[in-house]
Amino acid sequence: PELAASNRALRDKARAAFQREYIAADGRVADDVQTSYLLALGFDLCTPEQRPQLVNHLLRTFAEKDNHLGTGFLGTPLITPVLTEAGHADLAYTVLQKTTFPGWLFSVKNGATTIWERWDSWTPENGFNKDGMNSFNHYAYGCVVSWFYDTIAGLQPLPEAPGWKRFRIAPQPGGGLTHASAKVRTPFGHAASSWKIESGKLLLTVTIPANSRAEVILPADSSDGILFDGKPFAGEKSLDGRPTVDLPSGRYEFVIPDGK
């Protein structure tokens, strides 16, 4: 407990110093680039009052690049989770799906089957990057795949229940995707989430392994018209107002009208 208290005090001191040195009165963070805002928001270095200002500046830095990313190894892992946490998952999808430089799908469009070390490891205009350190199988920018699991498919471990004893399934479809599926091998077996949009409905199937439980948060604004294993759904609501149900191990199916 004493060490925890000491570390919290050090955290608060470091946070206050960061705010004093790097965050201006209008919420601009030093250097005024995407990574500046992503780090400050992602590591909770701003005050609650400053957060909306920083989010607005972050959105501006993306708009200035036509919603392309402008980040390196430090900022890239934070793009999709920070935007999602700020209520802008739609922009996260937009950035992810850009096929022009710089971006993940630019390399895919140009033949990549692995993750490159640089956004411009190869370009049609200049060929191979000549600056050195130019791996074509380099995980760093592959960090976005974690967002595929915890947001697109919605499989989220809970810090208060380590080891997937309890977890959350909260998919957020978007970006024009029509289906997604993921599974994680936990100590209890596979946790899985799979959804598809078909005939104006979203069909969600979840699997909760033996001896564990999951909170399932549905991608809908209300419970109206939702079917749960073929019967009308009557669950609770999560903090953000989405229909929610706490379930034991098993395989369950939901049909959500007007799925998007």
Side-chain angles (χ1 to χ4, degrees), residues 75-92:
T76 299
L78 296 168
I79 293 173
T80 48
V82 167
L83 287 174
T84 302
E85 175 66 24
H88 295 281
D90 55 340
L91 178 56

Side-chain angles (χ1 to χ4, degrees), residues 9-223:
L10 179 58
R11 174 204 62 191
D12 293 343
K13 183 178 179 181
R15 178 186 289 155
F18 182 92
Q19 293 165 5
R20 182 176 62 250
E21 295 292 330
Y22 298 118
I23 302 180
D26 66 353
R28 288 178 186 261
V29 180
D31 290 340
D32 191 34
V33 294
Q34 291 172 11
T35 295
S36 301
Y37 300 104
L38 291 167
L39 291 170
L41 291 164
F43 289 98
D44 198 24
L45 295 173
C46 58
T47 66
E49 294 75 23
Q50 291 170 326
R51 182 167 287 272
Q53 293 179 307
L54 268 66
V55 169
N56 287 335
H57 284 301
L58 176 63
L59 299 180
R60 172 180 55 78
T61 62
F62 277 102
E64 289 172 351
K65 293 183 176 294
D66 189 29
N67 292 332
H68 288 79
L69 51 77
T71 52
F73 286 8
L74 298 182
T76 299
L78 296 168
I79 293 173
T80 48
V82 167
L83 287 174
T84 302
E85 175 66 24
H88 295 281
D90 55 340
L91 178 56
Y93 272 108
T94 297
V95 176
L96 171 67
Q97 294 179 320
K98 284 287 187 180
T99 60
T100 46
F101 176 83
W104 286 282
L105 296 189
F106 169 79
S107 55
V108 174
K109 187 180 71 173
N110 284 284
T113 57
T114 51
I115 299 292
W116 297 348
E117 183 175 7
R118 299 173 178 270
W119 300 117
D120 60 350
S121 284
W122 185 91
T123 63
E125 298 81 12
N126 301 315
F128 294 103
N129 190 300
K130 297 180 174 60
D131 290 336
M133 294 178 64
N134 191 25
S135 166
F136 279 75
N137 190 4
H138 202 88
Y139 173 72
Y141 295 145
C143 55
V144 73
V145 172
S146 65
W147 191 74
F148 295 2
Y149 280 83
D150 63 36
T151 301
I152 297 179
L155 292 168
Q156 303 172 8
L158 297 174
E160 64 269 22
W164 294 79
K165 180 67 174 176
R166 282 184 53 83
F167 60 97
R168 178 178 294 130
I169 303 177
Q172 295 191 45
L177 297 184
T178 59
H179 63 279
S181 180
K183 63 181 179 181
V184 174
R185 191 165 75 178
T186 80
F188 308 99
H190 281 111
S193 170
S194 176
W195 59 262
K196 63 179 178 180
I197 296 173
E198 193 174 81
S199 302
K201 298 178 180 179
L202 188 142
L203 313 177
L204 171 66
T205 302
V206 303
T207 301
I208 304 166
N211 299 311
S212 61
R213 296 187 69 92
E215 175 189 49
V216 181
I217 303 178
L218 303 178
D221 295 328
S222 75
S223 299

